[in-house]
Amino acid sequence: MDLREIERLVKETKGGIIEKKETLIPILTNPANDVDEHGHAKPKPTNSASIDSGSALQLFLDHIPISSLHAITNSSSVLKFRTHDSLNYAIRTMYDKDIFAAPIIDNIEFDPDIINHSDPYVGIIDFASMVLWFLEECENYFRNKRDDDLRYQVTSGIFSMLEQVHHIAETKIGELAKSYLWEPFFPISSHDTLFHVLLLLSKHQLHLVPVVEGHKTNITGFITESAVVDLLLQSSGLEWFDDIADKSLSEFRFDKQPGIVYEDQSIVEAMSMLWVNRICAVAVVQRQTERIIGCVRISDVYHLLDNDDIFNNRKTVTVDHFIQLEPSTADSDPTVDQNLNATTSALDSDETVNQDHDASTTTTESNPTSTETLSLRNKLLPRMNLPVTIRTTNSLKQAMEALACSKSNVCFLVDDAERVTGLLTLRDIIIQFAPPCMDSTITGGRFFEDALEQSGCDVKDRTLILESNR
């Protein structure tokens, strides 16, 4: 079977990724047969060249519509901000509405029903990055204040601080582009394919891909990295997928250095490390044994807003105390810990983490909606004192299953003594299934032009020039 025949067969098979996979597997697992134009088996020529697994898998994924994902729907209107909105307003609004990320609209007024202005979005902003930026700016500000001005540090929570350091809190969202807090807005439609999304996520440092229908003002939801990995796992059993996914982690170049804080360090130090290194999580380790006992993720920032005592004493409260924070009874989900315990047991015994992944991911109930995965208080995540860990002897597929079962976006590579040796993110995994040498021709609307304009920069002769240096 050559690539053209594979494409025809995949294209003609109705249904989603499971149905297309089940059509191909019986044919591909019979080395003596191929198919004719009617899809019937025929003898395979002895001089037939083998098909490159990567090319065949990419062709297969390019016929899997993202409508196969249950996580793209959004029942409520999408929260939006304008570039002239303040940081204070954005943080308060996202906190009140329990939203982790939202698109940014240019300042110009627009009517969603007017076709000639169908590209108003210039980026995406997330709650945690804004809070971390604000805290870092405040620390720098207080560090340079005289002793008689230290009264500004006496607060009753972060919302009080937002009022006290008004000049920082009123920073416009547009100005945050120069601190790289914006994420590009690369929209897709429900008719696009999984391969299309893989290209975007792997080539453009994205965490979210908006789904639009009709005019580009109509956002129906978001595709997350977690949803993509869930869908990829449904290819398990297909030879082209397994050729990549069954390799041990040691065969890949996952050389990302993990951020590490000791259990007796302060919350401020952990948060500062998240911001300075622009990483999604830091490992919490015991000082004497170096063994991992927890993690602090960028998404855990909301605890500082929920708990004024923790925030006010963030310079003295230890990370060990912070990771013990339990979710409220209303937000807790006992299945999260059960899934994580089952995952850990399976990895330790070198077994497949989720034997029934195909079946479980095809139902709406087992797939979180975009609203759940984009909420600040994501009840699907494991607790901070239950970090997801994996060894380099485990396979890439086992890592994918571990992250899918835990609904986490990061796991830590550890040795036999539970010492952290590396960091593995969902993007690291997604890259393995995207073409390594293909340039994405997908445009990002006016994101880059608007980002430069908002930050007072221009590009001349391939050099970035600040407005103050002109």
Side-chain angles (χ1 to χ4, degrees), residues 350-370:
D350 201 30
E351 297 175 352
T352 301
V353 175
N354 188 357
Q355 298 285 356
D356 299 320
H357 196 87
D358 285 356
S360 65
T361 53
T362 57
T363 62
T364 304
E365 289 77 13
S366 59
N367 269 291
T369 66
S370 59

Side-chain angles (χ1 to χ4, degrees), residues 141-187:
Y141 173 70
F142 292 142
R143 197 176 295 121
N144 297 325
K145 296 294 291 182
R146 300 193 310 270
D147 291 342
D148 58 350
D149 288 325
L150 290 181
R151 62 182 181 278
Y152 285 102
Q153 295 192 68
V154 181
T155 68
S156 298
I158 193 170
F159 295 112
S160 174
M161 181 178 283
L162 284 166
E163 296 299 327
Q164 292 171 356
V165 286
H166 188 265
H167 64 289
I168 299 176
E170 290 304 309
T171 301
K172 304 304 180 186
I173 289 179
E175 298 175 30
L176 297 176
K178 60 186 177 183
S179 296
Y180 302 100
L181 265 67
W182 285 15
E183 189 169 293
F185 186 91
F186 286 142

Side-chain angles (χ1 to χ4, degrees), residues 398-430:
Q398 288 176 312
M400 295 171 69
E401 291 171 331
L403 289 171
C405 288
S406 63
K407 302 303 178 186
S408 181
N409 65 343
V410 60
C411 65
F412 296 93
L413 303 177
V414 297
D415 59 20
D416 291 339
E418 294 294 312
R419 293 186 295 256
V420 179
T421 61
L423 181 72
L424 182 63
T425 66
L426 290 175
R427 183 173 184 270
D428 295 327
I429 291 172
I430 289 172

Side-chain angles (χ1 to χ4, degrees), residues 218-436:
N218 183 25
I219 301 175
T220 61
F222 296 90
I223 294 291
T224 63
E225 293 173 304
S226 180
V228 169
V229 170
D230 279 347
L231 191 57
L232 277 174
L233 274 171
Q234 294 184 39
S235 299
S236 182
L238 187 62
E239 180 182 353
W240 308 319
F241 174 83
D242 291 342
D243 281 347
I244 299 172
D246 285 341
K247 292 180 180 179
S248 69
L249 295 177
S250 60
E251 297 184 53
F252 299 91
R253 297 188 62 182
F254 295 136
D255 53 2
K256 189 174 294 182
Q257 293 300 311
I260 294 176
V261 293
Y262 291 109
E263 57 186 333
D264 55 2
Q265 289 184 260
S266 69
I267 298 174
V268 164
E269 291 174 284
M271 295 299 172
S272 179
M273 183 174 292
L274 285 171
W275 170 249
V276 172
N277 297 319
R278 305 299 173 92
I279 50 181
C280 58
V282 294
V284 180
V285 302
Q286 290 181 332
R287 187 174 291 276
Q288 292 183 339
T289 65
E290 300 286 335
R291 185 176 68 85
I292 185 171
I293 60 172
C295 69
V296 177
R297 300 158 299 221
I298 189 171
S299 58
D300 296 318
V301 167
Y302 79 86
H303 286 295
L304 296 179
L305 285 78
D306 279 351
N307 192 320
D308 287 349
D309 288 338
I310 291 291
F311 177 79
N312 294 337
N313 297 291
R314 62 193 181 279
K315 292 185 178 181
T316 56
V317 174
T318 64
V319 178
D320 182 46
H321 177 77
F322 185 67
I323 64 175
Q324 304 302 325
L325 290 177
E326 297 288 339
S328 66
T329 304
D331 292 334
S332 62
D333 185 346
T335 61
V336 174
D337 292 347
Q338 293 170 10
N339 287 340
L340 187 58
N341 291 334
T343 298
T344 303
S345 300
L347 290 174
D348 289 342
S349 61
D350 201 30
E351 297 175 352
T352 301
V353 175
N354 188 357
Q355 298 285 356
D356 299 320
H357 196 87
D358 285 356
S360 65
T361 53
T362 57
T363 62
T364 304
E365 289 77 13
S366 59
N367 269 291
T369 66
S370 59
T371 304
E372 287 175 319
T373 56
L374 293 181
S375 65
L376 289 180
R377 302 164 185 82
N378 190 347
K379 62 184 179 182
L380 299 174
L381 289 176
R383 297 198 307 269
M384 289 183 285
N385 61 352
L386 291 174
V388 182
T389 60
I390 197 166
R391 292 174 172 78
T392 56
T393 53
N394 291 121
S395 68
L396 180 65
K397 185 187 296 185
Q398 288 176 312
M400 295 171 69
E401 291 171 331
L403 289 171
C405 288
S406 63
K407 302 303 178 186
S408 181
N409 65 343
V410 60
C411 65
F412 296 93
L413 303 177
V414 297
D415 59 20
D416 291 339
E418 294 294 312
R419 293 186 295 256
V420 179
T421 61
L423 181 72
L424 182 63
T425 66
L426 290 175
R427 183 173 184 270
D428 295 327
I429 291 172
I430 289 172
I431 287 175
Q432 308 311 314
F433 298 97

Side-chain angles (χ1 to χ4, degrees), residues 440-455:
S440 174
T441 58
I442 303 165
T443 62
R446 296 176 294 110
F447 168 72
F448 295 107
E449 292 81 1
D450 281 77
L452 287 172
E453 181 181 342
Q454 292 291 337
S455 58

